[in-house]
Every structure is written in structure tokens, then in C-alpha cells.
Amino acid sequence: MVNYKDLGLVNTREMFARAIKGGYAIPAFNFNNMEQMQAIIKAAVETKSPVILQVSKGARQYANATLLRYMAQGAVEYAKELGCKHPEIVLHLDHGDTFETCKSCIDSGFSSVMIDGSHLPYEENVALTKKVVDYAHQFDVTVEGELGVLAGVEDEVSAEHHTYTNPEEVIDFATRTGCDSLAISIGTSHGAYKFKPEQCHVDPATGRLVPPPLEFAVLDAVMEKLPGFPIVLHGSSSVPQEEVDTINKFGGKLEAAIGIPEDQLRKAAKSAVCKINIDSDSRLAMTAAVRKVFAEKPAEFDPRKYLGPARDNMEKLYKHKIINVLGSENKLAQLD
């Protein structure tokens, strides 16, 4: 058993309470390699932002669970080395689908876990989430549950259609499970293809697709039922079109890739939404930089020469999200 506090990590409880009160959201960035982790920590330190390092089940399988744990511990030390005396870094399991997966993460040093039982019948979702909560809270690990289903594909998470969260269920779910935060469905979606072209309209000025707005009425109803309760948005990458354009310019084929407009995310961040998940955007930033290097320098074969620019481009993206979208800059509990 490895306790996350021994690794220098924190759970989400205090940072979420501050975020709700302050009208901003904590960035939750997925990672599965060193370059992503370096970029996330540099961006968080330079903006003085709390940050959640998210690891999916697929990322643990790809990178190795033991290595990821030590990377998280290294992230804390790296933040201190960069000048942050009191970093606030969470290691969070994204979309845990079984009790066993959540327990394994808790036992290996995660400070927060998500149990996603949204695909199950309601009562089974309640029972599974409560089982994880009962185990996690013994070790002061925070738990995120989910109500509603997000469409799209990302890692091992896949659903063809979304189902909006039913506000009438949230009080019962939160009360019976004891979860610390709740992921809801209001129209966000996993992956880089969040909407079909027929769901969008074309901006006459730019010629680009514009997606439908999020269902803020659902969010408002949830907040009315659960005032002050931490809400989470998954599938919230904006799919920057400049990165898509770069990828396509240098041999990629991302057609009709579209995400959540950043103005919608800014609006959400000012509400009880205190955690916003971003994964696809960093994948696009990394891929765009790598493709550019290979196109402009076809003889290059040193990984540092193409992963370095990829890391820098991701850091730029993360800083933008923190400062211009989520508003979490200068929100550390102890500003250094």
C-alpha cells in the first residue's frame, strides 16, 4: 500500500471548494508519457495553478502502473525544482470501470479516482460507486462518480449516443454514494470528433463548422438540486483548428474534427463546474508539432528533436487553457 501523501500529492477536496467559491475550474490534463507530464507541470508552475494529472486505464496499460506512480512523484519534485514550494498536484484515475481498477490505483498512490458506472442501470451505478467510495475514503482518497453518458471515443471509453444527466437523480445519487464530485452530461463528448457535421452550422465568415451549444439548462438544474457540489465536465477539448490545420497541412487527415467552443467552457468554469477534462487538445498539439518537424526536416531521427517541440507546443496549450479558459492561474493555496 502506497499512500499518496507520501508522494507529495493532494486530493481534490480543498481545491474544488476553493474553485467553486472563486468561480474557476481546475485543469484536468491526461498524460501517459514524460513529455506530456513535463509540459503539464511547467505550465502549472509558471501560472501558479493547481493541476490534476489524469491517467486512464489505457494509459496505465501503455506506460506501466509502477512507472506512472513514480512519474507522479517525480512531477511533485520537478515542480519544486522549478520554484513552486507548495505544488498542488492530484493523481487521478480517469474513467475507472471496475472496483478492482479503482482499488489498484488507490493502493498504488492515486489521490483521486473516478468510478464510471454511467453505462450501468441506475441502482447498479449507485452500488458500484458507493463500494468505491467506502474503500477510498478510508485513505482520504476522493471519488468522482458519473451520471449521464457522453458520446464519442477516447481510449477505452466509447458510446455512440449521449444521454443527458437527469437532474432529478443527482440528490439521491450523491447522498447514497457519498461521492465527492459528480461528472455530468450536458453535451460534451469524447475525442476530436465531438459532433457530426449535420449537428453543426457553418460560420459564413470563416467557413468553419460551429457546434451546438451545451445544455446549460441541465447544468443549472443540477446546481439547483445540489448547491455548492463539485461538478465535472468530461470531453471538454476545444480541438484547436490551428493544430488541426497544421496536422492536415503536413500529411494528416483530420476531416471535420470539432470540439467544444472555449467561450462555452469559460461559462461553465464560472459555475459549480470545478474540474474540466482536456485530453484530445494535447494530443493534437503534440501530433501537429511532430508532423511539422518531420515535414520540414525529413532526415531528422533524434527523438529529442521532434518530441522537444511537441512538449513546447503542449506547454503553450496548457498555459492558454489555464489562463484564458479555466481561470485557475494564481490559485495555489500558498502562493510562493
Side-chain angles (χ1 to χ4, degrees), residues 290-336:
V290 170
R291 279 193 175 274
K292 186 173 186 292
V293 171
F294 283 154
E296 295 177 347
K297 301 177 181 178
E300 188 57 72
F301 66 94
D302 183 344
R304 295 170 296 181
K305 298 298 176 62
Y306 53 86
L307 292 178
R311 179 182 60 195
D312 294 342
N313 204 34
M314 287 189 290
E315 182 187 347
K316 178 183 174 183
L317 171 87
Y318 294 139
K319 285 181 181 177
H320 166 71
K321 295 294 183 181
I322 289 169
I323 296 171
N324 299 314
V325 181
L326 308 179
S328 63
E329 77 279 12
N330 298 315
K331 297 298 192 297
L332 289 174
Q334 301 182 62
L335 285 175
D336 300 311

Side-chain angles (χ1 to χ4, degrees), residues 87-318:
E88 290 182 60
I89 300 172
V90 173
L91 181 60
H92 175 75
L93 170 65
D94 189 24
H95 285 289
D97 57 351
T98 66
F99 171 79
E100 289 73 22
T101 297
C102 292
K103 181 180 184 300
S104 173
C105 288
I106 294 165
D107 293 348
S108 65
F110 279 61
S111 56
S112 177
V113 295
M114 177 199 186
I115 177 62
D116 182 1
S118 61
H119 58 288
L120 298 171
Y122 179 76
E123 288 297 331
E124 291 181 30
N125 186 3
V126 168
L128 177 59
T129 304
K130 185 179 187 307
K131 184 176 181 181
V132 172
V133 168
D134 288 346
Y135 185 77
H137 281 183
Q138 296 178 74
F139 309 101
D140 201 25
V141 171
T142 42
V143 178
E144 174 186 328
E146 180 164 358
L147 273 177
V149 178
L150 271 68
V153 178
E154 194 164 317
D155 279 6
E156 63 287 334
V157 181
S158 175
E160 188 173 344
H161 302 288
H162 72 255
T163 303
Y164 290 134
T165 300
N166 181 356
E168 298 302 321
E169 294 177 340
V170 295
I171 296 176
D172 181 72
F173 186 86
T175 302
R176 289 172 60 192
T177 65
C179 64
D180 302 283
S181 61
L182 183 64
I184 66 170
S185 174
I186 62 170
T188 56
S189 180
H190 292 120
Y193 300 90
K194 299 186 183 300
F195 304 96
K196 297 177 181 178
E198 57 266 27
Q199 295 177 278
C200 309
H201 70 271
V202 178
D203 184 338
T206 64
R208 295 190 185 277
L209 294 175
V210 178
L214 299 179
E215 284 291 337
F216 281 98
V218 175
L219 174 60
D220 291 341
V222 170
M223 291 192 298
E224 184 179 341
K225 298 288 185 181
L226 290 175
F229 195 82
I231 303 299
V232 176
L233 286 189
H234 284 245
S236 297
S237 284
S238 58
V239 187
Q241 292 303 295
E242 63 271 20
E243 305 295 0
V244 173
D245 291 345
T246 299
I247 290 170
N248 290 339
K249 177 182 177 181
F250 294 115
K253 195 174 181 181
L254 291 175
E255 298 176 356
I258 188 168
I260 308 299
E262 290 187 338
D263 63 327
Q264 299 271 291
L265 298 175
R266 289 188 195 98
K267 181 178 179 180
K270 290 180 170 63
S271 69
V273 173
C274 57
K275 173 177 179 274
I276 292 181
N277 293 10
I278 297 169
D279 186 4
S280 294
D281 284 355
S282 64
R283 297 182 185 194
L284 293 168
M286 186 173 204
T287 301
V290 170
R291 279 193 175 274
K292 186 173 186 292
V293 171
F294 283 154
E296 295 177 347
K297 301 177 181 178
E300 188 57 72
F301 66 94
D302 183 344
R304 295 170 296 181
K305 298 298 176 62
Y306 53 86
L307 292 178
R311 179 182 60 195
D312 294 342
N313 204 34
M314 287 189 290
E315 182 187 347
K316 178 183 174 183
L317 171 87
Y318 294 139

